Amino acid sequence: MSDTLDPAIRQFITDRFYQPGFMTNFDTRIVTLEYGLCVIEMPASPLILQDQGFFHGGAIGALGDTAGGTVARTVLSYPGDVLALEYKVNFLRPGVGEKLVARASVLRKGRSAIITRVDIDCVTGGEAKLCAAMQQTVVPAGAG
């Protein structure tokens, strides 16, 4: 098994990520995409801030879920989709900043499930503060 991301899998992930949909509505973008590692950014927007001006917990959870699913796809042996079975988010501080940055990694790739870890930072002026931590379980959904 190679620890490099197959170009066909990279293209599949990128194509799926940038299809019009939930994440693209918020100008979310992939910053890093490697085998077992994915970094995604989401800029602040009135659409995803709650009434006190913090990033809404739903937006933080959705970003973490997307980053975890994306990184899980990088360790599949074929270009394919995954589905979340469950995830848990711990909100560590209010989400204040110019953008959210989710850094996802694969904790374990099993025969039937992939466990991911996602740390979500709030970033202002280049300073990142961890605002949420997530663990997720996903399963392959079949070939694309």
Side-chain angles (χ1 to χ4, degrees), residues 1 4 6 10 14 16 19 22-23 29 33 36 38 41-42 44 53 62 75 90 97 102 115 119 128 132 136 139 142:
M1 175 190 236
T4 60
D6 179 285
R10 175 185 300 280
T14 303
R16 282 283 210 265
Q19 286 178 348
F22 188 72
M23 282 290 120
R29 68 184 188 95
L33 186 62
C38 176
E41 291 183 348
M42 176 188 278
V75 300
N90 289 103
I115 312 300
D119 288 333
Q136 178 189 54
V139 294

Side-chain angles (χ1 to χ4, degrees), residues 51-101:
D51 58 349
Q52 295 173 315
F54 306 142
F55 282 96
H56 192 284
I60 293 170
L63 179 64
D65 178 44
T66 300
T70 301
V71 76
R73 287 174 166 170
T74 70
V75 300
L76 295 177
S77 59
Y78 55 88
D81 290 315
V82 296
L83 295 170
L85 288 179
E86 60 82 30
Y87 65 80
K88 179 185 184 340
V89 181
N90 289 103
F91 297 102
L92 306 173
R93 65 170 37 94
V96 178
E98 298 164 359
K99 63 183 172 182
L100 295 172
V101 177

